[in-house]
Amino acid sequence: MESSTPLTVTEAAHRRRPAPPRHLADLTRAERRNVVMELGHRPFRAQQLAQHYFGRYTDDPADWTDIPAAARRELAAALLPRLLTPVRRLACDHGATRKTVWRLHDAALVESVLMRYPDRITVCVSSQAGCGMGCPFCATGQAGLTRNLSAGEIVAQVVDAARAVHEGELPPAEQAGPPRRVSNVVFMGMGEPLANYAAVTNAVRRLTEAVPDGLGISQRGITVSTVGLVPAMNRLSAEGLAVTLAVSLHAPDDELRDELVPVNKRWKVAEVLKTAWAYGARTRRRVSIEYALIRDINDQPWRADLLGQLLRGHLVHVNLIPLNPTPGSRWTASRPDDEREFARRLAGHGVPVTVRDTRGREIDGACGQLAARES
Ligand code: SAH
Ligand code: SF4
């Protein structure tokens, strides 16, 4: 932002906010040790705390029986402040989908969604309170950006989900051998993850480092979804992380994408896709293309064919998302026949395609519905 430009209301609010308190999940192993030593404690206390948090999902000093009672309060204050307070929990699908609204230390609100599938348990996390990208079909985008989350605030959403699974708060799956831990994390909640690059990549490190340095989730289980911020995509490519990249395309032509995804005015379809292919080549991971199907807006057969031509021959997978309703939006989901035809045409170009389920719609927990209201 140039200094001569007056701040918008949201930007001014953003700057006034105090930073979230430092948390163990913001720090590397060496940094945690330093904090503990500066307080005059034995360095191995840092790993004990990390073991409690990442291995046993507890930040309650009363549980730390291996740490002298006199030291617990100081260590908790220095490294394990409570970052998230649950405001509401809503469930649907007989408990297999659960949304939590969280209040952060400065009263900002964010949401995460925990979903159990037969073969995996996925948590969808927020990376920002609000979002500044302004996509007109998305509830999160309507209120603008409040602020970036810290790595600790992102990781804490996953730790809570891991704790809930561990404590049996999700009902068991019908099939034998259900997953018993969080296997997937998708950055598809509130916010544009690549607009909060440092915290998001730091959080990915904590999620994937082995216990007790992190939660030990496989990199292949992590998906970062972006509107197509090309410089940050390039940076992620060079990061040495092999997470899955999802690109929210929603239109194969610049004319329509300029409207649906305003950041397209800066980075065009061709450039976004070229960058995505480079990411895929570098990480050897299949790129996901997200495409919300909006009735009579982006679901025409010719757009399916154009998309198919752009994607064919690449290591790619298309997720078609029937548009989820958001308050005040003039758009609605495609007709089932148009959706089927769109998918059929893509498949005809040899492009793998699936239609995403509309999990969590009843609790405003589906894609694009997260607006974090208190009631
Ligand atoms: N900001 C990132 C990640 C969060 S949004 C991004 O845009 O990629 C997660 C996904 O939900 C994106 O693909 C987004 O385009 C999609 N989405 C947003 N609003 C939606 C809606 N109303 N119905 C269906 N999908 C929506
Ligand atoms: Fe932000 Fe993604 Fe919503 Fe666009 S779709 S406003 S980038 S959260």
Side-chain angles (χ1 to χ4, degrees), residues 65-366:
T65 49
D66 54 350
I67 299 177
R72 290 182 205 168
R73 191 196 294 219
E74 187 179 35
L75 289 170
L79 283 167
L80 283 153
R82 270 287 154 84
L83 298 175
L84 309 178
T85 310
V87 179
R88 283 192 306 149
R89 301 220 196 237
L90 296 160
C92 61
D93 304 323
H94 306 289
T97 302
R98 187 174 86 159
K99 176 171 100 164
T100 308
V101 182
W102 300 106
R103 184 180 297 111
L104 310 179
H105 79 103
D106 56 355
L109 298 174
V110 297
E111 303 183 342
S112 23
V113 186
L114 178 57
M115 290 161 282
R116 199 208 57 227
Y117 296 89
D119 60 334
R120 64 188 192 280
I121 295 178
T122 299
V123 52
C124 175
V125 296
S126 294
S127 56
Q128 300 182 308
C131 181
M133 299 295 145
C135 308
F137 54 89
C138 168
T140 308
Q142 301 320 298
L145 175 68
T146 302
R147 70 164 169 88
N148 282 335
L149 300 199
S150 66
E153 288 170 327
I154 297 168
V155 171
Q157 297 169 59
V158 185
V159 169
D160 178 75
R163 182 202 52 73
V165 172
H166 181 70
E167 292 178 2
E169 287 179 16
L170 284 186
E174 295 82 36
Q175 290 92 332
R180 285 173 204 286
R181 52 197 306 266
V182 171
S183 52
N184 295 70
V185 177
V186 297
F187 284 80
M188 293 190 181
M190 298 173 74
E192 164 52 39
L194 294 188
N196 181 15
Y197 188 88
V200 165
T201 47
N202 202 13
V204 168
R205 294 214 160 79
R206 281 314 93 65
L207 297 178
T208 55
E209 281 163 347
V211 179
D213 290 317
L215 280 170
I217 297 171
S218 159
Q219 288 199 11
R220 11 181 83 245
I222 298 196
T223 299
V224 173
S225 178
T226 180
V227 269
L229 306 185
V230 164
M233 289 164 74
N234 279 326
R235 215 173 142 194
L236 190 66
S237 222
E239 200 73 51
L241 298 170
V243 297
T244 300
L245 184 69
V247 175
S248 296
L249 201 65
H250 306 311
D253 54 305
D254 287 319
E255 194 184 349
L256 179 58
R257 196 168 191 266
D258 279 351
E259 187 188 347
L260 296 182
V261 182
V263 79
N264 194 69
K265 296 194 184 92
R266 182 80 202 281
W267 294 290
K268 299 291 175 195
V269 171
E271 199 183 355
V272 169
L273 287 180
K274 194 174 116 205
T275 314
W277 307 145
Y279 182 89
R282 173 90 196 223
T283 57
R284 295 169 199 256
R285 303 205 52 78
R286 193 161 75 154
V287 171
S288 285
I289 299 292
E290 311 288 294
Y291 200 104
L293 280 173
I294 313 177
R295 184 180 298 185
D296 298 330
I297 300 291
N298 66 352
D299 60 357
Q300 304 83 353
W302 73 265
R303 281 203 162 91
D305 286 332
L306 181 55
L307 183 63
Q309 282 153 20
L310 291 178
L311 304 187
R312 66 180 309 153
H314 291 282
L315 197 58
V316 70
H317 179 99
V318 176
N319 273 315
L320 297 175
I321 319 170
L323 188 80
N324 291 306
T326 59
S329 171
R330 50 206 153 102
W331 291 320
T332 184
S334 300
R335 297 170 195 86
D337 281 352
D338 293 340
E339 178 185 299
R340 261 192 300 278
E341 179 62 9
F342 202 94
R344 196 189 65 77
R345 284 183 183 245
L346 279 177
H349 288 273
V351 175
V353 52
T354 44
V355 178
R356 180 173 296 165
D357 63 10
T358 51
R359 273 281 179 130
R361 255 194 193 176
E362 306 93 295
I363 53 173
D364 282 347

